[in-house]
Amino acid sequence: MASKNREMPDPAFRPHDHSRCRRKVLAAASRHARDQGLRLTPVRRRVLEILLENHRAMGAYEVLERLAREGWGAQPPIAYRALDFLARHGFVHKVRRLNAYVACTRSTHSDPPLLLICRACGRVGEAEGAGISREIGAIAGARGFSVERLGVEALGLCPACAADGGAGA
Amino acid sequence: MASKNREMPDPAFRPHDHSRCRRKVLAAASRHARDQGLRLTPVRRRVLEILLENHRAMGAYEVLERLAREGWGAQPPIAYRALDFLARHGFVHKVRRLNAYVACTRSTHSDPPLLLICRACGRVGEAEGAGISREIGAIAGARGFSVERLGVEALGLCPACAADGGAGA
DNA sequence: GTAGTAATGTTATATTATAACTTGTAATAT
DNA sequence: ATATTACAAGTTATAATATAACATTACTAC
Ligand SMILES: [Zn+2]
Ligand SMILES: [Zn+2]
Ligand SMILES: [Zn+2]
Ligand SMILES: [Zn+2]
């Protein structure tokens, strides 16, 4: 577990074979969808692919523009519905600080992630938030509050941008 | 510290003398502003007062409507600027999940709070997030990511609404 | 194949937020 | 006291984000 963190660090912030990274995530998503009886339709899959082109978050209208150029519907609901579906089922995360969406790169689409947002290069990484979730649940529980959904977003500098002095990537 | 949690539970979710609650927070804010050389001007103070009327979050336009009715400017920047000022200095918190703002009721306006958002009654409580912040900082740090700003928001049911079966307050 | 259901396409509009510029106000310097 | 400056408030306009409501198409079950 602790060792897993060392062996599989978040790819977002380090050079890696991203074609492979992307294919793996996409394959896992397909599998997950099939197993869960979720309909990963062409638009939905295409939106996921678009988000997987890099580790940045994209706004709904940015996604929409891409879809429109590729011949899909050009109206907001097209993008929002696909993104909502993907987010509901954990294929993507909504980054509330950015009003944008990022593809989930973790193996499990279950518990809420800790999102790491680089303010310089815009890349978004994610860390397992299981331990944090438990702790937050406990703090809330001590106040009689039952947590149903949790969002944890950290804004800061990724390793590469920190090395640059925070000026940007 | 743990005892403080028992003695000073978040007021948002329990019956309390809210006039007193509000006055205390407002007085503390005035003091803080004076000490820090911050200009808590009439509009800014009024916005804080409005948010302090209850423990719910208000949207910028909701606040603006109130200001307008009271003779202040009726344009969005009036509200947004006051809210931005108050948020920058920790007098209020932006609740990103709701695109809304809630008055800070804690004694210190420094570290980031854990926001507890009741989906039934809309009230927003806050818990000290210092421990969580440290832990998140550590997890991020292990990935070379340096956290500058942190947002933690939990959506769920407050004690009162949980007793109601989650139907609403 | 028909009926029912879910997804997509389209139109219109609601909601949230900011840019850019003007006017007023209060502290500072001369 | 008056000029200078900096910051805040007011105004106009528009940008960016998101959803409601309804028409059409595609898939599923029978
Ligand atoms: Zn990758
Ligand atoms: Zn970066
Ligand atoms: Zn109160
Ligand atoms: Zn409640």
Side-chain angles (χ1 to χ4, degrees):
Chain A
M1 242 163 215
S3 70
K4 191 180 176 189
N5 281 347
R6 295 211 162 275
E7 291 164 29
M8 296 200 50
D10 193 311
F13 298 134
R14 29 174 62 233
H16 65 288
D17 180 346
H18 183 59
S19 298
R20 195 173 114 88
C21 167
R22 180 196 331 194
R23 277 197 307 274
K24 268 181 75 171
V25 172
L26 208 52
S30 302
R31 225 177 311 116
H32 181 212
R34 183 170 41 68
D35 294 352
Q36 304 293 310
L38 303 171
R39 294 174 57 183
L40 193 53
T41 62
V43 220
R44 290 168 176 175
R45 163 177 281 265
R46 186 67 194 120
V47 168
L48 182 55
E49 286 171 0
I50 289 169
L51 288 177
L52 277 170
E53 283 173 7
N54 57 46
H55 290 280
R56 288 183 171 78
M58 289 177 84
Y61 280 78
E62 210 178 337
V63 170
L64 178 59
E65 209 172 71
R66 291 287 306 273
L67 290 177
R69 274 201 266 131
E70 296 176 10
W72 302 93
Q75 279 61 44
I78 298 295
Y80 278 105
R81 284 199 287 235
L83 289 166
D84 286 351
F85 170 89
L86 294 169
R88 240 190 347 269
H89 298 291
F91 297 110
V92 311
H93 302 297
K94 175 153 193 181
V95 187
R96 305 205 99 99
R97 180 176 285 269
L98 306 177
N99 291 327
Y101 303 80
V102 68
C104 173
T105 54
R106 297 174 307 160
S107 45
T108 123
H109 296 202
S110 50
D111 43 45
L114 159 55
L115 295 179
L116 305 173
I117 308 161
C118 179
R119 67 165 164 77
C121 68
R123 281 181 295 205
V124 178
E126 32 182 333
E128 284 302 332
I132 295 165
S133 300
R134 243 195 326 279
E135 189 167 345
I136 289 172
I139 294 174
R143 288 163 170 73
F145 188 98
S146 66
V147 176
E148 292 170 351
R149 307 190 59 85
L150 180 64
V152 183
E153 301 185 0
L155 185 76
L157 282 182
C158 78
C161 294
D164 278 16
Chain B
M1 243 163 218
S3 71
K4 193 181 177 190
N5 283 346
R6 295 211 163 275
E7 292 164 29
M8 296 201 54
D10 193 310
F13 298 134
R14 27 174 63 233
H16 64 287
D17 180 346
H18 184 60
S19 298
R20 195 173 114 88
C21 167
R22 180 195 333 195
R23 278 196 307 275
K24 267 181 74 172
V25 172
L26 209 53
S30 302
R31 223 176 315 116
H32 181 214
R34 184 170 41 66
D35 293 351
Q36 305 292 310
L38 302 172
R39 295 175 57 185
L40 194 53
T41 62
V43 220
R44 290 169 176 174
R45 162 177 282 264
R46 187 66 194 120
V47 168
L48 183 54
E49 285 171 1
I50 289 169
L51 288 177
L52 276 169
E53 283 172 8
N54 56 46
H55 291 280
R56 286 183 173 77
M58 289 178 83
Y61 280 78
E62 210 177 337
V63 170
L64 178 59
E65 210 173 71
R66 291 288 305 274
L67 291 177
R69 274 200 268 133
E70 297 175 11
W72 302 93
Q75 279 59 45
I78 298 296
Y80 278 104
R81 284 199 286 237
L83 290 166
D84 286 351
F85 169 88
L86 294 169
R88 244 194 337 274
H89 298 291
F91 297 111
V92 310
H93 302 296
K94 175 153 195 182
V95 187
R96 306 205 96 101
R97 179 176 285 269
L98 305 178
N99 291 328
Y101 303 79
V102 69
C104 173
T105 54
R106 297 173 306 160
S107 45
T108 124
H109 297 206
S110 49
D111 44 45
L114 159 56
L115 295 178
L116 305 173
I117 308 160
C118 180
R119 67 164 163 77
C121 68
R123 281 182 296 205
V124 178
E126 31 182 333
E128 285 302 333
I132 294 164
S133 299
R134 242 195 327 279
E135 189 168 343
I136 289 172
I139 293 174
R143 287 164 171 72
F145 189 98
S146 66
V147 176
E148 292 169 351
R149 307 191 59 86
L150 180 63
V152 183
E153 301 184 0
L155 186 75
L157 282 182
C158 78
C161 294
D164 278 17

